[in-house]
Amino acid sequence: MILREIRRSYREELNALYAETEADALFYWAAEEILNKKRVDAVACLPLACGRHEEERFLSVLARLKTAEPIQYIFQKAFFDGLELEVNPSVLIPRGETEELVQWAKEYLKEKENPLVLDLCTGSGAIAIALSAAFPSACVHACDISSQALRTAGENARRCGVEVDFFCWDVLSPALPPALSDKAVFDLVIANPPYVLPAERERMRPNVLDYEPSLALFVPEDDPLLFYRRIAAIAIGSLKPEGWLLAEINEALSERNEALWGACGFKGVEIRRDIHGKPRMIRGIKP
Ligand SMILES: C[S@@+](CC[C@H](N)C(=O)[O-])C[C@H]1O[C@@H](n2cnc3c(N)ncnc32)[C@H](O)[C@@H]1O
């Protein structure tokens, strides 16, 4: 089969799930894995036939994509802030808006010497590892409630050559773990907690709903700020004066989050919009 025909199969067979540009992106991602060719080289090879083994691999990937399985889980990798991370169904696939949150954290941390950082709800470890890679003198702690996610995060830190202190902890529990027992030591607390409302399920795509961990996504409809309330309380106790709390937020809850953080005692509360113009990040400064 020539490559162009395989690309046509991707476009046709995935059209119920993905726009043509997305189907093409999936085809070229598969081509990079299977043929070891970057997109520009794969395009040049479109008129050529691939071998039988490669063809079988393209088609088996396509069969999995048709079930809405994310390509990141199929190849067990995702790219985040220039790093390659392992992902599997125990961790959320890190998103572009979270990279923007990391950029905001970097703007702040570049002024700090040997900063102490805490990443709550770390999942694949994306935020913690990106900050540790960018600031080798930083001391980064990160927690999650899922021990499977933490195993993946630990492996990701090892592969990226950074040190992060990962620990298992339910941020909603009232007892503080040892990493937080010293008062007011952190320069930055950062979090991307669950924030999706059950009512938003209807608008979500099956690749997210059917494959990504619901533990990473959903909050109770009647208490959508559950995590933010707790995170703000943890941060107000564990940040140094002038330390920052940064978090990713649900765009539908930005005003409520802003009011909550103000009420929790933060100053300089600021909402930042992502590249699509949506209010997706919040910052508070400990007085
Ligand atoms: C939206 S994901 C974020 C993952 C990662 N930080 C990222 O940005 O890609 C939320 C994470 O919170 C974790 N989580 C859910 N409930 C938790 C809890 N009560 N305590 C700690 N972590 C929790 C989930 O396991 C998941 O890894």
Side-chain angles (χ1 to χ4, degrees), residues 13-14 17 61-69:
E13 296 191 34
L14 296 174
L17 289 169
V61 170
L62 177 57
R64 290 175 71 174
L65 289 170
K66 280 169 71 178
T67 70
E69 185 173 358

Side-chain angles (χ1 to χ4, degrees), residues 90-95 98 119-127 143-146 149 169-172 192-195 215-217 227 248:
S90 73
V91 298
L92 190 91
I93 298 164
R95 306 293 207 268
T98 312
D119 173 26
L120 300 171
C121 303
T122 195
S124 63
I127 295 172
C143 80
D144 202 282
I145 197 172
S146 160
W169 185 47
D170 176 355
V171 300
L172 300 177
N192 178 17
Y195 57 66
L215 179 68
L217 296 168
F227 281 91
E248 187 170 315

Side-chain angles (χ1 to χ4, degrees), residues 52-101:
R52 184 155 192 79
H53 176 64
E54 283 89 6
E55 180 182 323
E56 280 169 9
R57 284 195 68 201
F58 271 114
L59 297 182
S60 88
V61 170
L62 177 57
R64 290 175 71 174
L65 289 170
K66 280 169 71 178
T67 70
E69 185 173 358
I71 197 158
Q72 292 90 341
Y73 289 158
I74 295 175
F75 292 116
Q76 301 202 318
K77 65 168 76 157
F79 299 93
F80 184 82
D81 203 42
L83 301 166
E84 184 180 311
L85 301 177
E86 178 193 326
V87 292
N88 54 55
S90 73
V91 298
L92 190 91
I93 298 164
R95 306 293 207 268
E97 48 270 31
T98 312
E99 288 179 323
E100 292 188 56
L101 182 73

